[in-house]
Amino acid sequence: MWRTGAAALLAMLAIGGIAGCGGRSEETLVVYSGRSETLVAPIIKQFSDLTGIKTEVKYGDTAALASTLLEEGAKSPADVFFAQDPGGLGAARPLLATLPSSIRGRVPEWASALDGTWVGISGRARVVVYNNRVLTEADLPDSIAGFTDPAWKGKIGWAPTNGSFLSMVTAMRQVWGEDATEQWVRGIQANGPRSYSGNTAVVQAVGSGEVQVGFVNHYYLHRFLAEQGESFPARNYYTRSADPGSVLLIAGVGILKSSKNKANAEKFVEFLIGTVAQQYFASQTFEHPLVGGVVRAPGIPELSNIKRPEIDVSQLSDLSGTQALLRRVGAIP
Amino acid sequence: MLFHRENLRVALGQFALPQFRLRSRSVSRPRAPIALTATGLLIAIAVLLPIVYLVIRSVGAGEAASEMLFRARTGAIVVRSLVLVVVVTAGSVAIAVPLAWLTTRTDLPGRRWWVVAAVLPLVVPSYVAAMVAVAALGPRGMLQGALDRIFGIERLPAIYGLPGAALVLVLLSYPYVFVTVRAALRRMDPALDEAARGLGYGPGRTSLKVTLPLLRPAIAAGALLVALYTLSDFGAVSLLGYETFTWAIFIQYETTFDRTAASALSLVLIAVALGILLLDSATHARGRYHRSTSGAVRPVSNLSLGRWRWPAAIGVGTLVTSAVIAPLGVLCFWVARGASAGGVEFPWPSAWNSLRVSLLAAAVSSALALPVAILAVRFAGRFAAFLDRATHMGFALPGVVVALALVFFGVNFAAPLYQTIALLVFAYTVLFLPAASGAIKTSLLQVNPHVEEAARSLGRSEVKTILQVTLPLITPGILTGAAMVFLLTMKELPATLILGPLGFKTLATEVWSAASEAFFAKAALPAIMLVLAAGAPTAFLLLRESRRASDDGEGRSPGGNGA
């Protein structure tokens, strides 16, 4: 019994001790990153090494971090919010400061918030991933609309609860309108698509031949190829016509109004849109850079070669309507 | 023969068969010491924080929430969740009880090692298990690949939906039942079994008529954890495509960033959990489960399985292989495949962090579970029942909900503790307290209250009696509960991400970070380390315990150093 008592006491002491040394200097830049550590830790470290500005990062899921920021409100320790998609930034918008025009001016307007609260850092294209042992690119329809053809019955994989998929459907609603989008979703459903939890699972399933095509972001395939070699039997297809199937989605960054470290926060954002970081995203995470003068990873087309729809990416943060539509037709619970 | 039967009834009646004991024992129970009740009250407040938060957030829940709540589909999703809960709970009990019996009461070959292996699934994050299951058993997975080469089978039936989700969750959560049942079997009074055997019951009948009824509280405690865990799981159901209520809550957070609607939905989840808890207490047998005399703790002589020895070993081996060895195999394969493509690094600091917070969480949870369990078993009443149910709420809620609740309270009312290990360990305690208290309760039921009464009549105060007499007797339960909290904390993800100090990484966050971006090799190594790092202390604890039990032929005096 004394052992149990002593253990509990020790635990309390340990907690007290650890809690006591939690202080951190005002100078340290605190980043909440909805982008995974595997993707962005190296470039954040490079920022610290180059500028001497210390950084502390909280990694998490973009939605969970947005909710955390909203709970923290003005008391948030965060200086910067680095989000996977405009939806997360949009949710946190009441907490974000307007970025200086020197930063906004360097990122294309279509990839930034209208009100200047965030800018895009890198892009990922929506693509159709297909199993290249059973299909060639010529077998695939010009537009993503073509997959509602009954010929695709039982061959499609999708991830209807995934954030990027929802953004794509939001883009469809903008380009095609509400009714046509609903028809498309119903058409795909009629073909009995296999539902997966996310892009990774879809690419995996296409590679294994469980399904033949899937709607995903472009870069997952490149990670599979890097890990499993060129023999991994799947390739990306960018739709031949400029439709929402090839919309470019954005990861972006904003600075918290409550930040007491705005100067360093701005340096951080400037660094992310600078050539070094942009080159990193192009070659290490296989993404599309948003500023010029950057060399792409092999197999990733120039943005100008992708037929993209004319839409306002920042408006893709309106996801409630998309969710309601998908619920209505029963694509998500 | 008649005489024997009569004896058997006398010997067993009041323990095993609820209809024989009861009302006559309405002796007025002692009142709980003030200190105990006060501690219980503080714990109740702590564990109810998430619900307070949900109520605050749900106020003014807009159209989205009410629209979602009152459509026909929501009812269907609740039913689907309950179906999964029933299937997984039944499956876990069906696997765990025979497994516990085989590993404690028989001469199964290598049973101590099976015990360690059988507990390990507790530490596998459910999304990892689901990923592995899809990779291995998917329509075109590894098993299909093997069968294709041998038999030319091109496709296996899809494992998605209920079968896959149930399979993965059963394999992950049967240890909750296994651990509590095993602890109960080990502390059970052998005299009852021996009486039954001596009076003519065969081994099979003894197990069914005597041992099994005595295990009811242990089975119920474990099954309750399985049911609530199933309700809260997100990883397995989302990867295997089975729509549950928790998944619906996640979609609310993920896609519309609507905390209000998500909170309102979470309250529905709480209501479902309460229903399960009430059902659980309604089915409780109010019999007595402790030994009749202050007899020594001595092991029951093991049953010889005879020609069933090896078939049983093969059965247990199959289970452990599918629950532990096969997933580890797939993970090793991923590491090997990735190692050839690029460097693989061992995340030692994260391993240390995992161990550190998990040990802290185990210690704190056990300490707080003690008053809960003592109140529930020794001073049963309205308050004790309320407290006991309140502690289960965190276990039924998705971790992200509990974490956001503690962000709210931490930032606003405990700013110096916000984003410290202290608040994180507190969150783990809110989440996992019932795992610790369940094991302690089971253990406490097996201690004869007369022993405590004797201590009190000899002049010990209530508190001293608890500390000096009760605690030493229930140490195995405390250790079992602590081990479960330790394993659960090792794999915890959402609260760790949200509430951890800045830059704080554990093995679970490493796995998630890599797995969510399709870096399988990077995800697999920390996942393997997670299983091994969790396995080592568990093995130490369990093996040490069984060695002691087998050395313990003489038995110890029940009062320990206190009597």
Side-chain angles (χ1 to χ4, degrees):
Chain A
M1 120 206 106
W2 293 121
R3 258 177 296 158
T4 318
L9 194 71
L10 258 174
M12 300 295 177
L13 284 176
I15 290 175
I18 296 162
C21 52
R24 121 188 102 74
S25 76
E26 287 284 295
E27 294 297 296
T28 307
L29 187 73
V30 177
V31 180
Y32 279 16
S33 174
R35 308 217 64 201
S36 130
E37 180 174 8
T38 331
L39 297 181
V40 300
I43 197 66
I44 294 177
K45 181 174 180 300
Q46 209 172 341
F47 168 76
S48 289
D49 291 348
L50 282 174
T51 59
I53 299 169
K54 275 187 70 180
T55 49
E56 297 259 36
V57 191
K58 174 173 277 300
Y59 291 99
D61 171 79
T62 294
L65 286 178
S67 298
T68 305
L69 281 169
L70 289 169
E71 291 300 349
E72 291 172 343
K75 294 176 187 160
S76 176
D79 298 305
V80 173
F81 182 28
F82 195 176
Q84 183 76 357
D85 49 55
L89 291 159
R93 194 156 57 191
L95 305 169
L96 297 179
T98 309
L99 296 170
S101 51
S102 57
I103 290 176
R104 282 185 285 153
R106 288 166 59 191
V107 179
E109 217 168 275
W110 59 264
S112 308
L114 290 176
D115 60 2
T117 49
W118 56 266
V119 289
I121 298 296
S122 59
R124 54 190 185 280
R126 290 296 295 182
V127 295
V128 177
V129 63
Y130 65 98
N131 185 305
N132 63 354
R133 286 215 187 116
V134 286
L135 296 170
T136 65
E137 207 161 284
D139 300 326
L140 301 167
D142 289 348
S143 159
I144 195 163
F147 288 101
T148 54
D149 189 309
W152 292 100
K153 205 171 204 96
K155 297 176 181 169
I156 301 173
W158 68 354
T161 57
N162 172 266
S164 299
F165 176 82
L166 288 156
S167 294
M168 180 183 79
V169 176
T170 313
M172 287 178 170
R173 288 168 57 223
Q174 269 190 39
V175 179
W176 292 346
E178 203 76 22
D179 291 344
T181 305
E182 185 170 330
Q183 264 172 28
W184 180 80
V185 179
R186 285 188 192 281
I188 297 294
Q189 279 180 302
N191 280 339
R194 179 87 258 157
S195 286
Y196 296 92
S197 61
N199 290 302
T200 304
V202 175
V203 176
Q204 172 103 316
V206 169
S208 76
E210 205 171 299
V211 290
Q212 294 183 4
V213 294
F215 310 135
V216 293
N217 297 339
H218 80 277
Y219 53 38
Y220 293 91
L221 173 73
H222 296 282
R223 292 176 198 157
F224 275 84
L225 294 176
E227 199 170 298
Q228 304 187 24
E230 291 291 315
S231 62
F232 183 76
R235 290 297 179 269
N236 281 338
Y237 163 61
Y238 294 79
T239 56
R240 279 182 287 268
S241 68
D243 72 18
S246 297
V247 65
L248 194 79
L249 303 176
I250 299 294
V253 65
I255 296 175
L256 276 296
K257 271 184 203 160
S258 56
S259 166
K260 296 188 185 71
N261 203 355
K262 286 213 175 70
N264 284 344
E266 283 169 16
K267 277 188 202 150
F268 181 68
V269 177
E270 277 166 13
F271 174 78
L272 288 181
I273 55 179
T275 323
V276 175
Q278 291 289 311
Q279 183 61 62
Y280 168 83
F281 287 119
S283 47
Q284 297 300 311
T285 66
F286 310 108
E287 288 173 272
H288 290 285
L290 294 180
V291 301
V294 172
V295 186
R296 275 144 203 287
I300 298 190
E302 290 282 341
L303 277 187
S304 53
N305 291 342
I306 304 175
K307 296 238 171 58
R308 288 181 294 128
E310 294 281 319
I311 55 161
D312 190 345
V313 178
S314 69
Q315 288 308 296
L316 295 183
S317 59
D318 161 42
L319 294 171
S320 331
T322 303
Q323 195 199 33
L325 187 153
L326 292 173
R327 279 236 160 90
R328 195 162 63 235
V329 301
I332 61 174
Chain B
M1 199 59 211
L2 197 71
F3 170 75
H4 280 167
R5 283 262 163 95
E6 199 46 42
N7 268 351
L8 180 60
R9 255 180 32 190
V10 172
L12 303 181
Q14 56 179 333
F15 300 96
L17 313 167
Q19 67 265 29
F20 279 97
R21 32 95 274 188
L22 73 208
R23 267 150 242 166
S24 62
R25 287 206 40 94
S26 59
V27 182
S28 71
R29 289 171 182 281
R31 284 183 73 84
I34 294 292
L36 197 59
T37 313
T39 318
L41 198 63
L42 286 177
I43 295 172
I45 294 172
V47 295
L48 287 176
L49 285 179
I51 298 187
V52 174
Y53 162 83
L54 289 176
V55 172
I56 294 174
R57 274 283 162 267
S58 303
V59 171
E63 261 174 67
S66 52
E67 190 185 303
M68 159 106 203
L69 272 181
F70 297 111
R71 63 197 181 121
R73 190 116 187 268
T74 303
I77 295 173
V78 171
V79 170
R80 291 169 68 87
S81 302
L82 289 176
V83 168
L84 186 68
V85 165
V86 170
V87 172
V88 172
T89 310
S92 299
V93 171
I95 287 181
V97 175
L99 184 66
W101 183 77
L102 282 170
T103 53
T104 40
R105 284 293 173 87
T106 71
D107 58 348
L108 185 78
R111 57 189 180 278
R112 277 160 50 181
W113 295 104
W114 292 129
V115 168
V116 176
V119 177
L120 286 182
L122 269 190
V123 82
V124 179
S126 73
Y127 66 93
V128 172
M131 252 164 55
V132 168
V134 171
L137 305 176
R140 305 266 297 167
M142 294 173 180
L143 179 65
Q144 180 273 331
L147 292 176
D148 194 10
R149 255 166 269 136
I150 307 168
F151 305 110
I153 294 173
E154 287 192 354
R155 216 175 171 85
L156 291 178
I159 60 161
Y160 302 99
L162 182 61
L167 175 76
V168 168
L169 285 171
V170 165
L171 288 181
L172 282 181
S173 50
Y174 77 82
Y176 293 113
V177 185
F178 173 72
V179 167
T180 45
V181 169
R182 183 173 173 275
L185 273 173
R186 292 167 46 79
R187 303 293 291 184
M188 194 181 280
D189 189 350
L192 298 169
D193 269 29
E194 286 159 8
R197 295 296 299 278
L199 294 168
Y201 271 24
R205 215 159 161 211
T206 307
S207 303
L208 225 60
K209 294 272 182 186
V210 179
T211 316
L212 200 58
L214 282 168
L215 287 177
R216 256 168 90 165
I219 296 174
L224 186 62
L225 292 180
V226 174
L228 296 179
Y229 173 75
T230 306
L231 205 56
S232 74
D233 178 73
F234 168 65
V237 295
S238 64
L239 274 154
L240 289 158
Y242 184 76
E243 295 171 0
T244 62
F245 207 72
T246 299
W247 196 7
I249 293 175
F250 266 82
I251 288 173
Q252 209 64 42
Y253 277 117
E254 293 284 325
T255 61
T256 49
F257 303 91
D258 187 345
R259 289 173 300 158
T260 318
S263 304
L265 292 176
S266 301
L267 283 176
V268 178
L269 195 66
I270 288 290
V272 176
L274 264 181
I276 293 177
L277 284 169
L278 290 175
L279 195 71
D280 172 68
S281 28
T283 56
H284 264 311
R286 256 165 265 112
R288 291 193 280 136
Y289 299 92
H290 50 75
R291 60 194 64 237
S292 50
T293 65
S294 54
V297 181
R298 63 196 163 83
V300 190
S301 55
N302 281 341
L303 182 75
S304 174
L305 288 171
R307 64 200 161 96
W308 291 105
R309 202 161 170 247
W310 289 104
I314 291 171
V316 173
T318 311
L319 172 74
V320 169
T321 305
S322 37
V324 185
I325 298 171
L328 275 179
V330 175
L331 293 172
C332 288
F333 169 69
W334 282 343
V335 172
R337 191 176 62 190
S340 54
V344 171
E345 269 178 63
F346 283 89
W348 295 116
S350 306
W352 164 235
N353 278 340
S354 285
L355 282 175
R356 196 163 57 119
V357 292
S358 303
L359 287 172
L360 280 174
V364 175
S365 300
S366 304
L368 295 186
L370 267 176
V372 176
I374 293 175
L375 279 167
V377 174
R378 287 290 185 257
F379 305 99
R382 278 206 199 129
F383 175 69
F386 160 76
L387 175 62
D388 189 39
R389 277 171 206 151
T391 58
H392 281 80
M393 291 297 117
F395 204 76
L397 282 172
V400 65
V401 173
V402 173
L404 286 176
L406 293 183
V407 168
F408 174 78
F409 288 108
V411 159
N412 289 312
F413 305 105
L417 290 182
Y418 187 59
Q419 292 189 349
T420 62
I421 299 276
L423 191 67
L424 182 60
V425 169
F426 179 72
Y428 293 143
T429 307
V430 172
L431 282 166
F432 302 139
L433 196 56
S437 66
I440 299 178
K441 273 193 296 184
T442 314
S443 201
L444 201 52
L445 277 172
Q446 293 179 316
V447 174
N448 192 334
H450 291 320
V451 179
E452 291 162 356
E453 277 160 32
R456 276 194 293 270
S457 71
L458 289 170
R460 289 280 193 282
S461 69
E462 288 279 1
V463 175
K464 270 197 163 168
T465 305
I466 290 170
L467 288 179
Q468 299 183 342
V469 178
T470 315
L471 275 191
L473 284 172
I474 57 173
T475 309
I478 299 176
L479 288 179
T480 305
M484 276 211 270
V485 174
F486 172 81
L487 295 177
L488 284 164
T489 309
M490 287 291 282
K491 74 170 173 185
E492 206 287 334
L493 182 66
T496 311
L497 286 174
I498 293 177
L499 290 170
L502 291 165
F504 184 76
K505 290 192 275 181
T506 64
L507 289 175
T509 68
E510 297 265 8
V511 176
W512 169 80
S513 167
S516 60
E517 298 294 339
F519 295 112
F520 290 106
K522 270 191 191 155
L525 190 64
I528 294 169
M529 288 175 74
L530 187 61
V531 176
L532 296 183
T538 315
F540 173 74
L541 190 72
L542 292 171
L543 294 183
R544 182 169 152 271
E545 194 189 292
S546 37
R547 194 168 306 127
R548 187 196 288 161
S550 50
D551 294 346
D552 232 9
E554 294 276 288
R556 290 177 296 158
S557 86
N561 47 7

